[in-house]
Amino acid sequence: VQLQASGGGLVQAGDSLRLSCAASGRTISNYGMGWFRQAPGKERVFVAGISWDGDTTNYSDSVKGRFTISRDNARNTVWLQMNSLKPEDAAVYYCAAKYWVSVAVGVQPDYWGQGTLVTVSS
């Protein structure tokens, strides 16, 4: 699976941004999908995950209530809607896929996309 993330950019605190992850090579309908982020000088951390059928989602505490992950298997695409952005949300965001398993903390994805940079000014 090849994953192509897009949608990053420069926004102000409080703004919204929607990231997209377009998959190619095979269907993602049997993959749990997720988003991770890595801020400068920090480790890559889990942000959000969604089960293969979209029925189950999970979020890190730092984004719960502000971010929403969704997917459309027919379009082979996953999104991350980010609202009420804070300066601490600034990072490179990566999408990831795990065969049949929901992406979550402690789950090592099978595939990673390239990152998309989100910058949040205060």
Side-chain angles (χ1 to χ4, degrees):
V1 178
Q2 290 80 48
L3 304 173
Q4 179 77 33
S6 62
L10 171 62
V11 297
Q12 294 186 331
D15 285 351
S16 297
L17 204 59
R18 189 173 83 153
L19 305 183
S20 298
C21 176
S24 61
R26 61 182 66 181
T27 178
I28 61 169
S29 60
N30 47 12
Y31 284 84
M33 300 295 295
W35 290 92
F36 292 73
R37 68 186 183 189
Q38 186 169 19
K42 297 187 177 181
E43 293 185 350
R44 189 178 303 186
V45 297
F46 169 79
V47 174
I50 188 166
S51 60
W52 63 273
D53 57 2
D55 282 354
T56 304
T57 58
N58 61 101
Y59 301 91
S60 67
D61 288 342
S62 61
V63 307
K64 198 172 296 182
R66 299 187 298 121
F67 290 13
T68 302
I69 187 171
S70 60
R71 66 187 296 160
D72 185 337
N73 288 342
R75 297 171 64 180
N76 238 24
T77 302
V78 179
W79 297 274
L80 183 68
Q81 177 67 43
M82 306 187 294
N83 298 330
S84 302
L85 282 161
K86 305 176 181 179
E88 52 263 42
D89 293 320
V92 177
Y93 283 72
Y94 299 89
C95 62
K98 181 70 175 178
Y99 191 59
W100 282 124
V101 175
S102 292
V103 173
V105 175
V107 174
Q108 180 62 33
D110 297 320
Y111 300 97
W112 292 94
Q114 97 297 348
T116 186
L117 177 63
V118 173
T119 305
V120 184
S121 64
S122 56

